[in-house]
């Protein structure tokens, strides 16, 4: 397992919300799925839309550019136009610290 780095405070991301953090120069989106935190590549695989600024619906994120959709747990494409999955990253929560495995 890789190295985990602290990226955010759990108390700053309410359920159903997302935030974008920088992990070693790479943008990673963190989403709060009703108390469970997941981390995934911020950049949409279609044309690079910022997924963390999109819409979170359950465990699906909709890209703000062309409404492509991904499952944020698995990274799989749920709805075109993207055809390639996004990367997902392991998350650890310790107290109020959210830690993400380095990409
Ligand atoms: S850039 Fe995300 S759907 Fe086109």
């Amino acid at each position: 397992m890789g190295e985990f780095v602290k990226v955010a405070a759990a108390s700053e991301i309410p359920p159903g919300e997302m935030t974008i953090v920088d992990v070693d120069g790479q943008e990673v989106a963190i989403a709060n799925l009703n108390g469970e935190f997941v981390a995934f590549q911020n950049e949409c695989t279609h044309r690079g839309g910022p997924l963390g600024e999109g819409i979170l619906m359950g465990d699906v994120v909709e890209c703000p550019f062309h409404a492509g959709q991904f499952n944020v747990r698995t990274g799989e494409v749920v709805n075109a136009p993207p055809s390639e999955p996004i990367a997902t990253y392991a998350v650890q929560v310790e107290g109020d610290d959210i830690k993400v495995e380095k990409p």
Side-chain angles (χ1 to χ4, degrees):
M1 195 172 273
E3 188 184 340
F4 282 77
V5 288
K6 185 190 169 201
V7 293
S11 55
E12 289 173 1
I13 311 172
E17 299 286 322
M18 297 184 283
T19 195
I20 301 168
V21 299
D22 182 293
V23 183
D24 266 6
Q26 189 156 332
E27 286 190 337
V28 173
I30 312 284
N32 181 341
L33 310 181
N34 284 323
E36 180 194 352
F37 291 91
V38 296
F40 53 94
Q41 169 184 337
N42 185 51
E43 186 181 8
C44 180
T45 56
H46 179 231
R47 297 270 170 79
L51 296 174
E53 294 174 20
I55 303 167
L56 186 63
M57 300 166 288
D59 56 7
V60 170
V61 65
E62 182 173 285
C63 178
F65 279 13
H66 316 103
Q69 295 180 346
F70 300 89
N71 182 305
V72 296
R73 295 178 192 274
T74 64
E76 285 172 4
V77 176
V78 174
N79 212 6
S83 57
E84 294 295 318
I86 51 171
T88 59
Y89 308 105
V91 174
Q92 288 178 345
V93 181
E94 289 177 11
D96 194 38
D97 292 351
I98 299 178
K99 297 181 172 183
V100 171
E101 189 173 16
K102 275 192 183 180

